[in-house]
Amino acid sequence: MEGMVEENGSSGGSGMSDPLAGGSSSGGAPTHVVAATSIVQLTLPAQAPMAQVQSVIQPNQQSVIQTASNIQSVQLPKGNVILVSKPSSVIHTTQGTLQTLQIKPEPNSLLSSQGQSCSDDDDSDDDSPKRNYREMLTRRPSYRKILNDLGGAEIADNRMGSKPGCENEVSLSSSLSFAPGPMLEDQTRKRELRLLKNREAARECRRKKKEYIKCLENRVAVLENQNKALIEELKSLKELYCQQKTE
DNA sequence: AAGAGGTGCCGTCACCTGAT
DNA sequence: ATCAGGTGACGGCACCTCTT
């Protein structure tokens, strides 16, 4: 009973925009598959010199047929879907042959410019596996931004309405209620406050993430249905054409 | 019944980003 | 520069299911 965002085709038709397209072009790392328009270019390392990349989820799309022809869908980890130019059918289906592209941040990207894992060694955990692993990851737009583009006010209002944060307020005020002491106590109090806030932030972040994933799953279902329908339509049109041709 | 493996949730840490 | 908030990653815990 959450304030789920509804799909274009399925019900309601609230005219949502593309969660992946985000509209929040932060101009950061070049590997983000995010753009105000539906198509972004990104440079790929090694074998794939340049590919045209596009979110499979079109903003307010009417048709599953992409505007840029000859596009093949590619599933990426982290749930991103990109489309790679390929001379094939206009209609692309999920059952088609898929190519997985491995996308890594460029050496001079925003992410790696701040990390420099291999050079600085004064910090103890600088070359820890965790940190190195993180540096390989690209940052995506926040769920808040994404959900704002999905009609975030509605979701935010919904959240306020259902008020899971009621107990948060209670816990927050109760944890802050003890008397301030000397500096040590003050520090521990600050730390506890930070932990508390972060705990709640993490809770909220997970909630938004789940909502976002649900939204994407809905979109996938709708697109698959549209795809099936279009394939059927194409099939029948072909048959009709063949019939008329033989007559 | 006991153990193993999978899954989901939570708290925490580390880091990034935007605001001031 | 500093701070606050958002989020990915990680480890721990609880619960469920399956196998022996």
Side-chain angles (χ1 to χ4, degrees):
Chain A
M1 293 288 271
E2 289 181 9
M4 273 305 300
V5 183
E6 296 195 336
E7 278 299 330
N8 262 352
S10 58
S11 60
S14 55
M16 63 193 295
S17 61
D18 182 355
L20 290 180
S24 60
S25 53
S26 57
T31 50
H32 283 171
V33 190
V34 174
T37 63
S38 59
I39 297 180
V40 296
Q41 295 270 73
L42 94 165
T43 54
L44 298 173
Q47 290 99 346
M50 181 72 81
Q52 195 167 55
V53 174
Q54 173 183 9
S55 167
V56 74
I57 302 172
Q58 303 296 311
N60 301 320
Q61 66 173 16
Q62 301 296 320
S63 168
V64 73
I65 297 178
Q66 309 295 323
T67 52
S69 60
N70 303 332
I71 286 174
Q72 182 192 15
S73 69
V74 173
Q75 277 280 1
L76 290 177
K78 293 292 177 188
N80 287 331
V81 178
I82 64 173
L83 301 171
V84 179
S85 290
K86 191 192 177 190
S88 62
S89 168
V90 172
I91 297 178
H92 47 88
T93 143
T94 53
Q95 297 100 318
T97 53
L98 299 181
Q99 276 181 341
T100 300
L101 296 182
Q102 186 134 16
I103 299 183
K104 296 174 183 174
E106 286 183 352
N108 56 352
S109 73
L110 183 79
L111 197 81
S112 51
S113 67
Q114 79 211 350
Q116 299 211 354
S117 66
C118 47
S119 61
D120 49 357
D121 48 351
D122 47 354
D123 202 356
S124 60
D125 60 350
D126 263 350
D127 49 1
S128 67
K130 185 176 169 183
R131 186 183 171 112
N132 287 339
Y133 177 58
R134 277 190 179 164
E135 283 168 0
M136 292 168 61
L137 301 172
T138 60
R139 219 161 165 87
R140 46 178 301 290
S142 73
Y143 294 115
R144 182 177 56 178
K145 282 184 179 175
I146 293 170
L147 288 172
N148 275 344
D149 294 333
L150 293 173
E154 178 187 339
I155 294 170
D157 289 348
N158 194 304
R159 179 181 143 241
M160 290 304 182
S162 62
K163 202 77 177 180
C166 281
E167 73 268 17
N168 291 351
E169 282 179 12
V170 171
S171 64
L172 185 69
S173 57
S174 64
S175 77
L176 292 177
S177 60
F178 57 82
M183 258 176 66
L184 191 68
E185 276 188 28
D186 198 46
Q187 277 184 347
T188 55
R189 209 191 94 204
K190 275 183 181 173
R191 173 181 157 79
E192 280 180 7
L193 177 61
R194 184 163 49 84
L195 288 181
L196 178 68
K197 280 187 174 177
N198 187 242
R199 203 178 302 144
E200 287 162 4
R203 212 173 288 155
E204 180 65 11
C205 183
R206 288 182 187 120
R207 189 191 64 81
K208 280 188 268 186
K209 187 176 184 178
K210 278 168 77 174
E211 205 164 318
Y212 172 68
I213 290 172
K214 268 188 193 170
C215 178
L216 288 186
E217 287 170 349
N218 286 349
R219 180 76 76 166
V220 167
V222 168
L223 290 178
E224 281 178 347
N225 282 340
Q226 287 180 341
N227 212 11
K228 272 184 199 165
L230 284 170
I231 289 170
E232 286 302 313
E233 189 183 347
L234 178 65
K235 213 165 98 180
S236 58
L237 285 174
K238 270 184 182 173
E239 285 174 3
L240 193 65
Y241 175 73
C242 288
Q243 275 182 3
Q244 286 182 352
K245 206 176 174 183
T246 52
E247 283 173 5

